[in-house]
Amino acid sequence: MDRERESEDNLDYSVANVEKALHQLYYDPNIDNKNLAQKWLMQAQVSPQAWQFSWALLSPNKVPEIQYFGASALHIKISRYWNDIPSDQCETLKSQLFNQIACFASGSKIVLTRLCVALASLALNMMPESWPNAVGDMVKMFQTESSDVDGKARCMALLELLTVLPEEFQTSRLPQCRKGVVRNALAQESGAVFPLLQQLLQTDSPVFISQKALKCFSSWVQLDVPLLDCECLMQASFTSLQNAELFDTAVEALVNAISQPDAQRFLAILLNLADSAAIREMGEHRYVNTLLKLIPQVLQLQEQLRQAVQNGDMETSHGICRIAVALGENHSRALLEQVEHWQTFLALVNMIMFCTGIPGHYPVNETTSSLTLTFWYTLQDDIMSFEAEKQVVYLQVYRPVYFQLVDVLLHKAQFPSDEEYSSWSSDEKEQFRIYRVDISDTLMYVYEMLGAELLSNLYDKLGRLLTNTEQPTSWQHIEACLYGFQSIAETNDVNYSDVIPGLIGLIPRINISNVQLADTVMFTIGALAEWLADHPVMINSVLPLVLHALGNPELSISSVSTLKKICRECKYDLPPYAANIVAVSQEVLMKQIHKTSQCMWLMQALGFLLSALQVEEILRNLHSLISPYIQQLEKLADEPVVVVLQQVFQLIQKVLSKWLNDAQVVEAVCAIFEKSVKTLLDDFAPMIPQLSEMLGQMYSTIPQASALELTRQLVHIFANDSTHFVPVKALFLLVTSVTLSIFQQGPRDHPDIVDSFMQLLAQAFKRKPDLFLAENCDVKALFQCGVISLKFPEAPTVKATCAFFTELLPRCREIQPIGLVVHENGKLLLQATLEAIGGQAPRSLMDHFAEILFALNKHCVTYLSIWLKEVMQQQNFPSSRLTQGQKETFSQQILRDRVNKRRVKDIVKEFTLLCRGLHGTEYAAEY
């Protein structure tokens, strides 16, 4: 450290030293040397000497990596240290940058881009006062003939510059008071850009120039450019969709243009500014006119869409669907209000319906249908928001559409054939599960519009499937139909429905030959538990099915949770069935069919059941349930507990020597000692060395969550006691090492272990951070494991991981290895957190992710501001629904709130709604 400080005091940021450090960064195999070089180069970029070495590094005889660093240093100096630049130097700086861009127009593209970003930053700081016609000047400068640079290269350089200008504005550090002024100046200068882009897209330009022109248009539309000013370029973008090489870029441009917030706000702005009804009417007419011109252009893509679907071209169908959904989702209310054009809008709705029902199984054969689900929420919200008279008219048109939607969604929710499903990867199965949850949410929401008629519709469908003797029905059809019932019954009051008795009567007729179908039958019965409480005569129709399913380990979660719901809701009607329920439960408990958590649910179910019985019956049933366990404990009743444990310990070790590979035995042993530790607390101390050694042996042989839970208890109670620190530390390091190897092999199949491991790490940070100073504790690997765990679909695992990070981040300053890891990998954590907020994680977990952002802002604010700027520059990150302005606002809000955690949580909740396209919907409000 002393040598480092000494070298920092005598830093020589010469061209030679910078080049040497860059060589070390790129080519030195030693990671420590790379890190030192990176740290030194970051200091060099912000040093006063950067103004000298940057230009020298751009010399034509240097390699692109060195030139790139020089261009980046210039951008950093201009964007972050603008106030240090003398005003009389700005013109010279501008001229130098123009010259360098001209030189690199035919050179390295990455260097050219960085120079363009530097000039863009200069322009934003100078306009409008010091450089009023910046964009026009750029266009003129590059349109002037130059013998050194050919026309195509000059054109590409100009397009690159014009593309990065709005992007740089979105991420710039301009003071808030100047942001609006500069935004307005840029928006006005679109008049100098759009005609050029139009010309390039309408002539026979080479594909690479057309592509760049489309990207440039896509960049500019995010600057509050009115939708009607984009008409000609949107027309050119639609034409470009016919060119396979331009397709993706044209889709992005159209989606951005249609989705920009200003496209929706423009009418409101006009109305606010208008002095007369005539002006208001004209503004409304122009806005609606533009929208109505767009619909036929989108509808003309239907043939291309059908061809793509027929040919299995998922990219093309995905892109066209994005355009249709963007138009429908962002402008549904305005288009609904054009009553005389109702058929045109209905044609667009039907096109989106085609995208929802696109053939194939998500996510294996198609990835498009999921894009449309938010549109159906939006359309329904808009229809239901009209006054009653108008609503009646709209419902006449759209109720049949939504009934069709239900049919389409049930078809999409169907499982593939058993053979095909078995060939799917675990990740594909998980994505399909989440997709079905999204369909379930949509059906639940649609029920609010369609009501009882929807349940009747589903009941008729199921009845036909189960009574069709001529044509055998596949289990997938029946399962999907039941899934529809379950989706609605789980969250809506269906007690008044007259079809539920018929449904309960149909369920026993289902030939349950498949695990997925059996699961759905169980969950459907569970969803109807409240109805059964009001209609106890029907309990006997379904209870035998549930009790039979209890004996199947594959139906563990669905059968046990359903029995628990029935016992909770119907307990006063269950005495006639109590003996049978207890007998079956006792049998499955003794056979150890279910995992510990399901056994606990089963015991809770029995608790509800027994609480409604007479005292004598309660005692009789309790006796039969627990007598096997009492007999095992009777012999030990008179001894002090710790003495008993010490005597039993040898017996347990003997059992383990034979059954160490049996997961259930290990879990039972851990359960015994966890309860003992919690009960005895400090009195357990004499057994710590023995237990730590045995626990390490158990976890090394067959890693289990129960062993981690017990380790966590030991860390919580004894890690701060110097007498016991050594065995506890050895155990902590051993289980950490074993768990890291699980992560290397693939942790996805062990969410319970990951959950418990994250809880253990969080506890260790809370109670004894010194554990992480151990020489063989790989803090960097632990951090990376945490980032991986944040992306798990299981909510408890994600919660535990968030808790780990919120305990880790405050230790940045006091524990040097932690500070170093956060500095190097914190951006990855931020990225994973924002991905989750952007839609990858359930909304119920947003408070936990907000805690991470709050901790980052509190303990790493300098890094956070840099990382936020960098990650938010990524296109479509963390959601394709966001504008750059919305991302920027969110970043500023987060950075501003360093003390009010509740406020940060509210900001995150608002932002996640924007990311998911749910902001402002009734669905979001009621969630």
Side-chain angles (χ1 to χ4, degrees):
M1 283 300 294
D2 290 337
R3 280 202 304 275
E4 263 187 55
R5 278 201 206 95
E6 193 180 322
S7 62
E8 280 182 28
D9 293 337
N10 302 292
L11 292 172
D12 178 11
Y13 298 120
S14 65
V15 174
N17 283 345
V18 170
E19 289 193 43
K20 184 180 173 185
L22 283 167
H23 189 275
Q24 197 172 6
L25 178 66
Y26 285 115
Y27 303 113
D28 195 318
N30 186 308
I31 190 68
D32 292 331
N33 291 344
K34 280 180 182 288
N35 290 337
L36 278 174
Q38 185 179 30
K39 187 178 175 185
W40 187 88
L41 287 165
M42 285 172 72
Q43 292 166 336
Q45 281 187 314
V46 300
S47 70
Q49 294 96 308
W51 286 117
Q52 283 75 50
F53 69 67
S54 293
W55 301 107
L57 295 178
L58 288 166
S59 172
N61 62 347
K62 306 289 184 189
V63 295
E65 291 88 346
I66 289 173
Q67 294 169 333
Y68 178 83
F69 183 79
S72 294
L74 284 172
H75 172 241
I76 286 171
K77 295 298 285 183
I78 294 167
S79 60
R80 295 192 203 170
Y81 303 97
W82 175 253
N83 293 329
D84 296 348
I85 302 172
S87 55
D88 59 349
Q89 295 292 309
C90 291
E91 286 300 322
T92 308
L93 186 54
K94 185 203 302 182
S95 177
Q96 286 176 300
L97 283 169
F98 268 124
N99 290 336
Q100 287 292 344
I101 289 170
C103 291
F104 278 91
S106 303
S108 168
K109 291 288 175 275
I110 59 166
V111 182
L112 173 65
T113 299
R114 216 74 210 131
L115 288 167
C116 288
V117 171
L119 181 56
S121 185
L122 180 78
L124 294 173
N125 279 293
M126 292 178 71
M127 63 192 301
E129 300 83 4
S130 306
W131 194 359
N133 301 307
V135 179
D137 289 351
M138 290 173 185
V139 174
K140 283 177 196 164
M141 180 72 69
F142 285 92
Q143 284 182 332
T144 307
E145 287 296 331
S146 167
S147 56
D148 302 333
V149 187
D150 71 67
K152 286 178 184 173
R154 271 188 292 111
C155 183
M156 285 297 285
L158 172 59
L159 288 173
E160 184 64 28
L161 178 55
L162 294 177
T163 302
V164 300
L165 186 58
E167 292 170 359
E168 179 64 12
F169 170 77
Q170 305 287 11
T171 57
S172 67
R173 299 184 173 206
L174 290 171
Q176 202 57 41
C177 57
R178 272 185 51 74
K179 277 252 170 179
V181 176
V182 176
R183 180 189 286 276
N184 290 338
L186 276 174
Q188 286 169 15
E189 293 223 47
S190 65
V193 179
F194 283 13
L196 169 69
L197 299 181
Q198 205 172 318
Q199 183 186 349
L200 291 171
L201 287 169
Q202 286 176 347
T203 55
D204 293 330
S205 301
V207 168
F208 63 89
I209 285 183
S210 297
Q211 199 161 53
K212 199 68 194 167
L214 286 167
K215 282 183 180 172
C216 187
F217 171 48
S218 188
S219 180
W220 275 81
V221 292
Q222 295 175 62
L223 283 174
D224 283 354
V225 180
L227 186 65
L228 48 90
D229 289 356
C230 304
E231 267 188 38
C232 293
L233 280 171
M234 289 176 80
Q235 175 62 60
S237 301
F238 275 110
T239 305
S240 299
L241 290 172
Q242 305 308 313
N243 185 327
E245 292 179 87
L246 298 177
F247 182 84
D248 290 342
T249 321
V251 167
E252 210 57 48
L254 284 165
V255 169
N256 283 343
I258 293 168
S259 306
Q260 54 158 321
D262 185 64
Q264 302 153 59
R265 289 203 311 259
F266 184 66
L267 176 59
I269 293 167
L270 268 179
L271 297 183
N272 288 337
L273 296 177
D275 294 326
S276 69
I279 295 174
R280 286 197 293 274
E281 194 175 327
M282 182 187 72
E284 184 173 357
H285 178 71
R286 290 179 69 199
Y287 167 72
V288 170
N289 241 16
T290 304
L291 286 181
L292 291 173
K293 285 178 191 173
L294 283 175
I295 296 183
Q297 292 177 304
V298 174
L299 293 176
Q300 281 174 10
L301 301 173
Q302 288 183 99
E303 186 51 40
Q304 190 179 356
L305 173 62
R306 285 195 184 91
Q307 287 292 326
V309 171
Q310 200 172 324
N311 299 331
D313 180 356
M314 288 164 68
E315 287 75 16
T316 300
S317 55
H318 197 83
I320 293 174
C321 176
R322 283 184 63 201
I323 296 168
V325 168
L327 183 57
E329 208 172 282
N330 288 286
H331 306 282
S332 63
R333 187 174 181 94
L335 291 166
L336 279 168
E337 286 177 331
Q338 307 314 304
V339 182
E340 66 276 22
H341 297 284
W342 69 272
Q343 287 172 309
T344 311
F345 183 50
L346 184 58
L348 177 68
V349 172
N350 285 329
M351 182 178 176
I352 295 172
M353 181 76 77
F354 175 81
C355 295
T356 305
I358 211 158
H361 287 287
Y362 183 95
V364 178
N365 317 112
E366 64 91 7
T367 55
T368 299
S369 58
S370 63
L371 298 174
T372 66
L373 297 181
T374 310
F375 164 75
W376 299 110
Y377 289 122
T378 307
L379 180 62
Q380 181 174 328
D381 272 348
D382 287 333
I383 290 169
M384 303 308 279
S385 69
F386 285 109
E387 56 272 23
E389 286 179 20
K390 273 190 177 179
Q391 209 178 101
V392 171
V393 177
Y394 287 118
L395 287 174
Q396 282 180 340
V397 176
Y398 286 101
R399 271 176 67 87
V401 172
Y402 274 86
F403 274 113
Q404 184 191 349
L405 174 66
V406 171
D407 288 343
V408 168
L409 291 177
L410 291 180
H411 180 72
K412 294 297 296 181
Q414 283 181 26
F415 280 88
S417 68
D418 295 337
E419 186 183 355
E420 186 183 341
Y421 190 65
S422 64
S423 71
W424 287 12
S425 68
S426 57
D427 185 52
E428 286 166 342
K429 287 177 180 175
E430 178 59 18
Q431 285 187 57
F432 182 61
R433 185 192 67 79
I434 294 167
Y435 174 66
R436 277 174 47 104
V437 170
D438 291 339
I439 286 177
S440 176
D441 287 347
T442 310
L443 290 170
M444 172 201 78
Y445 199 62
V446 168
Y447 176 74
E448 291 181 18
M449 178 192 272
L450 302 181
E453 198 180 336
L454 173 55
L455 291 177
S456 299
N457 184 295
L458 289 173
Y459 174 64
D460 291 344
K461 198 186 298 291
L462 185 62
R464 284 195 300 274
L465 290 172
L466 291 174
T467 56
N468 187 350
T469 52
E470 294 174 15
Q471 196 176 353
T473 304
S474 71
W475 70 263
Q476 287 93 337
H477 282 81
I478 296 167
E479 191 278 334
C481 198
L482 267 185
Y483 187 68
F485 264 114
Q486 178 205 324
S487 303
I488 294 162
E490 262 179 342
T491 47
N492 292 283
D493 179 10
V494 295
N495 281 7
Y496 64 87
S497 172
D498 56 3
V499 304
I500 303 300
L503 172 63
I504 296 285
L506 284 175
I507 285 176
R509 300 182 60 167
I510 296 172
N511 178 22
I512 302 176
S513 56
N514 177 280
V515 172
Q516 283 92 3
L517 174 57
D519 259 335
T520 303
V521 168
M522 286 300 110
F523 284 128
T524 304
I525 295 170
L528 296 171
E530 282 186 40
W531 185 91
L532 287 169
D534 292 338
H535 306 82
V537 70
M538 303 297 286
I539 291 173
N540 197 39
S541 298
V542 291
L543 186 59
L545 290 174
V546 180
L547 294 178
H548 178 71
L550 278 181
N552 186 342
E554 291 184 293
L555 303 177
S556 185
I557 292 174
S558 60
S559 62
V560 174
S561 67
T562 296
L563 182 64
K564 182 180 167 184
K565 284 180 181 177
I566 291 173
C567 289
R568 184 180 63 212
E569 301 297 337
C570 311
K571 60 184 179 183
Y572 297 112
D573 302 298
L574 292 180
Y577 314 103
N580 194 19
I581 294 172
V582 171
V584 172
S585 300
Q586 189 169 8
E587 184 183 352
V588 299
L589 285 169
M590 294 309 289
K591 287 182 178 176
Q592 297 184 329
I593 285 172
H594 304 295
K595 290 183 178 177
T596 306
S597 51
Q598 274 77 62
C599 289
M600 288 173 66
W601 290 359
L602 190 49
M603 285 304 222
Q604 287 171 1
L606 295 171
F608 290 126
L609 172 68
L610 297 182
S611 69
L613 300 180
Q614 296 296 318
V615 175
E616 299 79 16
E617 288 183 83
I618 293 173
L619 293 173
R620 188 172 66 251
N621 283 299
L622 268 179
H623 185 264
S624 66
L625 273 171
I626 64 174
S627 59
Y629 306 103
I630 292 171
Q631 289 166 13
Q632 295 169 28
L633 295 171
E634 274 179 344
K635 296 173 186 175
L636 303 170
D638 299 327
E639 297 282 347
V641 180
V642 74
V643 175
V644 171
L645 282 173
Q646 284 174 322
Q647 290 173 356
V648 170
F649 196 86
Q650 289 179 334
L651 174 61
I652 290 174
Q653 279 186 312
K654 202 170 184 181
V655 170
L656 274 176
S657 66
K658 291 184 179 179
W659 298 93
L660 195 55
N661 287 303
D662 189 306
Q664 289 184 319
V665 172
V666 170
E667 193 168 326
V669 169
C670 289
I672 291 168
F673 283 108
E674 188 178 357
K675 286 187 170 57
S676 305
V677 171
K678 283 180 179 176
T679 306
L680 294 172
L681 299 175
D682 290 340
D683 291 339
F684 189 86
M687 295 196 63
I688 288 173
Q690 289 171 287
L691 180 59
S692 297
E693 187 180 343
M694 185 176 81
L695 198 48
Q697 187 187 2
M698 283 159 54
Y699 194 71
S700 301
T701 307
I702 179 164
Q704 278 208 97
S706 52
L708 289 171
E709 288 296 317
L710 182 48
T711 304
R712 182 165 66 90
Q713 290 299 329
L714 293 178
V715 168
H716 174 62
I717 298 168
F718 298 108
N720 262 331
D721 186 336
S722 57
T723 316
H724 308 298
F725 180 66
V726 173
V728 172
K729 175 184 173 184
L731 173 61
F732 174 77
L733 293 173
L734 176 62
V735 298
T736 297
S737 172
V738 173
T739 312
L740 286 177
S741 68
I742 292 174
F743 270 89
Q744 286 169 353
Q745 294 157 20
R748 195 49 214 92
D749 295 330
H750 308 283
D752 53 340
I753 288 178
V754 175
D755 179 355
S756 299
F757 184 54
M758 290 298 146
Q759 289 187 51
L760 168 61
L761 295 178
Q763 187 69 261
F765 270 117
K766 195 180 289 186
R767 297 291 291 171
K768 193 68 174 173
D770 290 357
L771 286 166
F772 296 93
L773 287 168
E775 199 173 304
N776 51 344
C777 183
D778 190 342
V779 177
K780 183 175 181 178
L782 294 177
F783 190 95
Q784 288 167 340
C785 290
V787 172
I788 292 167
S789 307
L790 276 183
K791 300 177 183 181
F792 272 43
E794 291 82 7
T797 307
V798 176
K799 286 180 188 177
T801 309
C802 290
F804 159 60
F805 280 117
T806 50
E807 291 294 341
L808 175 146
L809 291 167
R811 312 290 177 179
C812 283
R813 291 187 181 86
E814 65 189 76
I815 303 178
Q816 190 193 3
I818 300 295
L820 189 62
V821 166
V822 172
H823 166 58
E824 290 175 355
N825 298 279
K827 184 177 167 184
L828 291 175
L829 170 61
L830 176 65
Q831 183 131 349
T833 302
L834 291 175
E835 281 171 359
I837 294 168
Q840 296 296 316
R843 282 164 54 204
S844 57
L845 296 175
M846 289 305 108
D847 279 358
H848 301 278
F849 287 106
E851 297 260 8
I852 294 179
L853 289 180
F854 185 75
L856 279 167
N857 199 26
K858 196 168 185 180
H859 304 286
C860 326
V861 64
T862 309
Y863 292 139
L864 180 62
S865 61
I866 296 167
W867 295 333
L868 266 174
K869 185 173 181 181
E870 288 174 353
V871 299
M872 287 302 200
Q873 284 178 3
Q874 299 171 67
Q875 203 167 23
N876 296 331
F877 179 87
S879 164
S880 58
R881 293 187 173 91
L882 297 174
T883 65
Q884 198 60 41
Q886 288 168 329
K887 294 199 274 190
E888 188 181 316
T889 301
F890 172 72
S891 300
Q892 288 168 351
Q893 288 175 325
I894 290 295
L895 291 168
R896 201 180 299 130
D897 269 296
R898 298 188 64 200
V899 290
N900 189 340
K901 191 184 291 184
R902 181 69 261 158
R903 170 76 185 132
V904 172
K905 289 180 178 179
D906 290 340
I907 290 165
V908 168
K909 283 176 182 171
E910 285 289 304
F911 188 64
T912 197
L913 291 176
L914 285 171
C915 292
R916 296 162 200 257
L918 294 173
H919 195 269
T921 63
E922 285 181 29
Y923 178 66
E926 291 169 7
Y927 183 79

